[in-house]
Amino acid sequence: MDYLDLYLMHWPVSTSSKGFAIELNNWNFINTWEEMQKVPSHKVHNIGVSNFGIANLQRLLHHPSCKVVPAVNQIELHPYWPSWRILKYCKNHGIHCTAYSCLGSTGSPLFDNPVVLELSQSKGKSPQQILIMWGIQRDTSVVPKTVTPVRIKENSELDGWGLSNHEMDLLNGCTIRFKSCNGMWLRGKIFFEDGD
């Protein structure tokens, strides 16, 4: 390839190539961001972060070496982990949010949610399509994961329909909280209580 559209820092933790549980002593995500900013823009059009909560975004943005605001923060987002505060913070700072695990991940309790199932039936769409549309209508991009060709095709069939404000409110009203990626296997705390 001649260039990348987007280059992301995966975690706000510096880990060793010998294992995720081994954190580097003299390196942190600020150092990584300093190096990412040096990549020529004709080689990488945008740089961004992933799994950054508000505390780490503030730490990055307020550091004197931060000359480029991340274009994207890729975070877990779905009705059981809506992350309203992070979304608002990112929007206020010009950072686009991309939703990973937008379907709640494998074995997600979202597929048993009565609202999701009712909307799926009434609209003639799969539960996955309902969840993807919810993410898109929140002004986030979504990256659903599947390896099944039929589902890949179905997940992209989003033209010509949408969710009403009332339907969005129903999904936004979910009170169950579930996070598929908790980062417990990393050293150091990276997720804080800013999910709602």
Side-chain angles (χ1 to χ4, degrees):
M1 287 187 256
D2 295 328
Y3 69 92
L4 295 175
D5 284 318
L6 179 62
Y7 180 40
L8 295 178
M9 182 188 323
H10 195 193
W11 295 100
V13 174
S14 303
T15 57
S16 169
S17 60
K18 295 176 184 173
F20 288 120
I22 303 168
E23 194 168 349
L24 299 176
N25 290 328
N26 297 313
W27 197 267
N28 61 44
F29 65 81
I30 300 290
N31 304 122
T32 302
W33 193 251
E34 289 169 352
E35 294 303 310
M36 288 175 70
Q37 290 178 121
K38 294 176 184 177
V39 179
S41 60
H42 70 278
K43 290 288 185 188
V44 174
H45 291 185
N46 296 284
I47 56 175
V49 296
S50 186
N51 297 300
F52 270 59
I54 293 171
N56 284 330
L57 286 169
Q58 287 175 331
R59 186 173 161 209
L60 177 64
L61 294 175
H62 292 116
H63 196 275
S65 69
C66 180
K67 308 298 182 203
V68 178
V69 173
V72 171
N73 185 15
Q74 188 178 92
I75 53 179
E76 181 172 346
L77 294 170
H78 49 74
Y80 283 1
W81 199 256
S83 299
W84 298 106
R85 287 183 290 210
I86 297 171
L87 288 177
K88 182 177 180 183
Y89 182 88
C90 287
K91 183 175 184 179
N92 289 340
H93 290 83
I95 302 169
H96 175 76
C97 287
T98 295
Y100 74 75
S101 292
C102 58
L103 306 178
S105 203
T106 303
S108 170
L110 277 166
F111 297 123
D112 295 325
N113 180 280
V115 173
V116 173
L117 295 175
E118 182 182 317
L119 291 174
S120 172
Q121 185 173 7
S122 68
K123 300 190 92 58
K125 301 295 177 185
S126 71
Q128 291 86 347
Q129 287 172 310
I130 298 296
L131 295 169
I132 292 167
M133 185 60 75
W134 176 82
I136 290 170
Q137 287 186 211
R138 292 175 81 214
D139 295 326
T140 64
S141 50
V142 294
V143 285
K145 181 182 175 188
T146 184
V147 295
T148 308
V150 171
R151 286 195 185 136
I152 292 169
K153 182 179 184 303
E154 181 180 83
N155 288 349
S156 66
E157 294 172 345
L158 302 170
D159 291 336
W161 69 280
L163 298 170
S164 69
N165 289 339
H166 174 68
E167 291 165 337
M168 288 292 290
D169 288 343
L170 289 173
L171 290 166
N172 290 338
C174 290
T175 56
I176 295 171
R177 291 298 172 252
F178 165 80
K179 187 161 179 33
S180 66
C181 184
N182 59 25
M184 297 302 286
W185 43 273
L186 288 166
R187 292 197 61 196
K189 186 174 182 177
I190 63 164
F191 293 119
F192 302 92
E193 298 303 318
D194 52 9
D196 283 335

